[in-house]
Amino acid sequence: MSDFDVDFFVIGAGSGGVRAARIAANHGARVIVAEEYRVGGTCVIRGCVPKKLLVYASRFADDFEDAAGYGWTVQNPVFNWQTLIANKDLEIDRLERAYIANLERSKVKIVRSRAVLEDAHRVRLVATGEIVRAKHILIATGGWPSHGADIAGLEHVISSNEAFHLKELPKRILIQGGGYIAVEFAGIFRGLGSEVTLVYRGDNILRGFDDDVREHLRGEMEKRGIRVVTRKIVEAVEKVDHGLCVSLSDHETITVDQVMFATGRRPNVSGLGLEHAGVQLNAMGAIKVDKYSRTSVPHIYAVGDVTDRVNLTPVAIREGHAVADNLFDGKDIVVDHSDIPTAVFSEPEVGVIGLTEAQARQDYARVDIYKSSFRAMKMTLAGRDTRCFFKLVVDGETDRVLGCHIVGPDAGEMIQLVGIAIKMNATKADFDRVMAVHPTAAEELVTMRTKAATYVREAAE
Ligand code: FAD
């Protein structure tokens, strides 16, 4: 008789937890997963999936307009927010049911409760008070929106969580933040017809992305009528007769119907009982893990956003899968966090992988830059003033492509495929050997022949 009730206790049924639980059970482990809200976690319930559905909805506005140039007459299209939200909710319900069915098919026991650590092997289910003794534990509790400083009127501010459930489409919205969630929601609300102001304290949106991408996207967002205000912050929000009056740090006031902050996310560790188990945090407040996602307690693991490594769904899934394979299938998998392709579903879309120009110039002796900005073919008859942007960052000594940055329709789809080439260490000459697919925007990837710049690092004294 085992001293433990289960082999593997997973806290949190989000991207990382669900995958780890299912794979561990498929390897024969006795598994419980505890979820305090809804099965599927952030990605399915209030992240990637509902966000992308809203992005699709917002893009129809351009399509209706652009159709005219192609001979179509589209009379007065009318958008209904409530219909969109209701249909989105039905799809999320369907996905949650599918996640539950998959877990049950793998014989994972799902417990609808918050779970907290009592000590290094015992987990308490808050809903019932029951204690479960677990041989191995996985913490996959994700992250939570952080509003930053406690300003006056913060109670009127929503996060992306609430944005998915607004009763009405705001006529005017102010979004604070410059990261991908902020720019994505700016595009969504603008596309659906809202007046959008984006306020960001830094000098430009999408910190950490290539500077040309940041510049290009900002310009395109502004062309679409989004007001981008940088180097300022929201200092107070006050409820007034016809909305919310927002005071910015330069004393400007803006009256809107909704204020949304997308100012970052914090690892979900509060009240988890980590201190009772001896699980340590790093300086940023995330759970400290080694390359196997093992915490400071050898039989307790953590994956996904709670570890604040690369906060993306496919990363949490890979990490969870690796923990289950290593523990219950004798594998020795270390997840590779380098060169992760990623997309921003802004309008226009962004797809990037690898190094930015600035990072490459810091790390490599010689860097070649290829870039191109052009009007996509579809926009010609449409008469729409929007441009695509492509950039390759190349190691000038080995010819290896170090980074690829795309802004334009379907950039997310394109970067997934470019990712394969980059992971295979493709050179610029490899890109050039590929025949173009014509007429596409993606052909630019294999037809950029002229270097835009070459940077040679000065030799250190
Ligand atoms: P989560 O998916 O957050 O799951 C954690 C789960 O744990 C939650 O269900 C929570 O309720 C539960 N939980 C927490 N504490 C406890 C407890 N004590 N007991 C029981 N249950 C608990 N990523 C992408 O790759 N692409 C995108 O386009 C994208 N868009 C996003 C858009 C938005 C608006 C947001 C917020 C995120 C987006 N992400 C995107 C990020 C992605 O959602 C996360 O990286 C991913 O969900 C992390 O998975 P996880 O397993 O770490 O945690």
Side-chain angles (χ1 to χ4, degrees):
M1 182 70 184
S2 161
D3 289 342
F4 300 107
D5 304 312
V6 288
D7 301 312
F8 197 39
F9 193 106
V10 178
I11 308 180
S15 306
V18 166
R19 175 59 69 92
R22 207 164 51 72
I23 299 301
N26 289 347
H27 290 318
R30 295 170 301 161
V31 185
I32 288 183
V33 60
E35 171 54 55
E36 68 176 349
Y37 182 55
R38 291 183 66 181
V39 174
T42 303
C43 176
V44 176
I45 308 295
R46 46 195 172 197
C48 335
V49 174
K51 183 247 340 245
K52 189 83 188 277
L53 294 174
L54 265 53
V55 167
Y56 284 133
S58 70
R59 288 181 178 166
F60 281 99
D62 282 7
D63 291 341
F64 291 132
E65 266 181 40
D66 295 350
Y70 286 89
W72 288 90
T73 302
V74 183
Q75 272 160 355
N76 303 329
V78 177
F79 169 70
N80 186 297
W81 171 260
Q82 286 79 12
T83 304
L84 171 64
I85 296 303
N87 289 346
K88 179 265 294 174
D89 286 344
L90 285 177
E91 174 58 9
I92 302 306
D93 291 349
R94 187 191 68 79
L95 283 173
E96 184 181 16
R97 284 197 301 278
Y99 269 69
I100 292 169
N102 282 340
L103 283 166
E104 288 176 347
R105 206 171 299 128
S106 297
K107 307 261 180 303
V108 174
K109 183 173 174 196
I110 304 169
V111 178
R112 300 297 199 134
S113 170
R114 179 169 173 78
V116 294
L117 295 167
E118 285 288 298
D119 60 34
H121 278 292
R122 294 188 312 144
V123 184
R124 180 163 54 86
L125 301 175
V126 174
T128 58
E130 188 190 338
I131 302 284
V132 180
R133 293 163 305 157
K135 188 167 181 194
H136 303 282
I137 295 169
L138 177 69
I139 303 169
T141 50
W144 196 251
S146 155
H147 278 350
D150 186 16
I151 57 162
L154 200 59
E155 67 277 14
H156 305 304
V157 173
I158 62 166
S159 71
S160 56
N161 287 351
E162 294 76 37
F164 291 119
H165 299 286
L166 292 176
K167 295 266 175 288
E168 284 174 11
L169 176 70
K171 285 200 176 58
R172 304 158 296 176
I173 185 165
L174 182 144
I175 300 174
Q176 174 158 252
Y180 77 93
I181 295 176
V183 299
E184 287 174 344
F185 273 93
I188 289 169
F189 284 115
R190 184 69 198 127
L192 296 178
S194 306
E195 202 176 282
V196 179
T197 307
L198 186 76
V199 176
Y200 178 53
R201 66 178 172 174
D203 61 347
N204 205 355
I205 54 170
L206 289 188
R207 185 163 63 91
F209 282 70
D210 188 273
D211 286 335
D212 282 330
V213 168
R214 301 170 77 191
E215 204 51 48
H216 189 89
L217 181 66
R218 180 180 181 160
E220 290 293 331
M221 287 172 67
E222 286 175 337
K223 275 193 227 164
R224 302 179 63 74
I226 296 172
R227 181 173 172 224
V228 181
V229 179
T230 47
R231 297 195 181 91
K232 285 174 199 157
I233 57 168
V234 172
E235 290 204 323
V237 179
E238 191 191 347
K239 201 159 180 32
V240 291
D241 272 355
H242 298 292
L244 297 167
C245 179
V246 182
S247 307
L248 300 186
S249 43
D250 66 346
H251 307 300
E252 181 186 349
T253 57
I254 305 173
T255 304
V256 291
D257 304 299
Q258 285 289 348
V259 179
M260 171 179 158
F261 281 9
T263 39
R265 292 173 62 83
R266 289 270 155 73
N268 220 341
V269 291
S270 123
L272 255 185
L274 298 179
E275 62 288 1
H276 305 311
V279 174
Q280 289 171 9
L281 301 180
N282 64 21
M284 304 304 289
I287 295 183
K288 196 159 83 181
V289 287
D290 67 9
K291 62 182 183 179
Y292 293 104
S293 298
R294 192 164 26 204
T295 69
S296 47
V297 181
H299 62 271
I300 301 183
Y301 293 74
V303 295
D305 288 9
V306 76
T307 63
D308 197 19
R309 285 174 283 181
V310 181
N311 297 334
L312 293 170
T313 283
V315 178
I317 290 175
R318 274 281 166 100
E319 291 168 355
H321 199 129
V323 167
D325 277 349
N326 291 346
L327 277 177
F328 302 107
D329 195 31
K331 297 263 171 61
D332 183 30
I333 299 167
V334 174
V335 174
D336 175 7
H337 289 94
S338 67
D339 289 338
I340 294 174
T342 181
V344 179
F345 297 100
S346 45
E347 192 54 47
E349 203 164 293
V350 175
V352 301
I353 182 168
L355 299 188
T356 64
E357 178 183 319
Q359 289 164 338
R361 286 171 62 182
Q362 201 178 322
D363 295 352
Y364 287 80
R366 184 190 165 101
V367 175
D368 293 331
I369 301 295
Y370 296 81
K371 54 185 173 183
S372 163
S373 162
F374 58 95
R375 196 172 181 209
M377 193 178 185
K378 187 179 169 197
M379 302 308 161
T380 53
L381 295 202
R384 181 171 293 281
D385 174 24
T386 176
R387 295 179 80 76
C388 297
F389 175 75
F390 281 71
K391 178 170 184 175
L392 291 178
V393 178
V394 178
D395 178 351
E397 290 184 331
T398 64
D399 199 38
R400 191 159 71 88
V401 179
L402 303 170
C404 176
H405 308 268
I406 304 173
V407 187
D410 301 320
E413 305 289 342
M414 285 189 242
I415 210 66
Q416 180 69 82
L417 306 178
V418 174
I420 300 170
I422 297 224
K423 286 304 263 187
M424 292 176 74
N425 295 323
T427 60
K428 177 69 169 59
D430 291 326
F431 274 60
D432 295 346
R433 278 193 299 125
V434 180
M435 201 70 83
V437 178
H438 185 71
T440 63
E443 66 184 300
E444 208 63 21
L445 286 166
V446 299
T447 54
M448 284 191 281
R449 294 280 186 263
T450 316
K451 282 177 206 165
T454 292
Y455 299 98
V456 181
R457 197 170 54 193
E458 306 244 322
E461 289 290 303

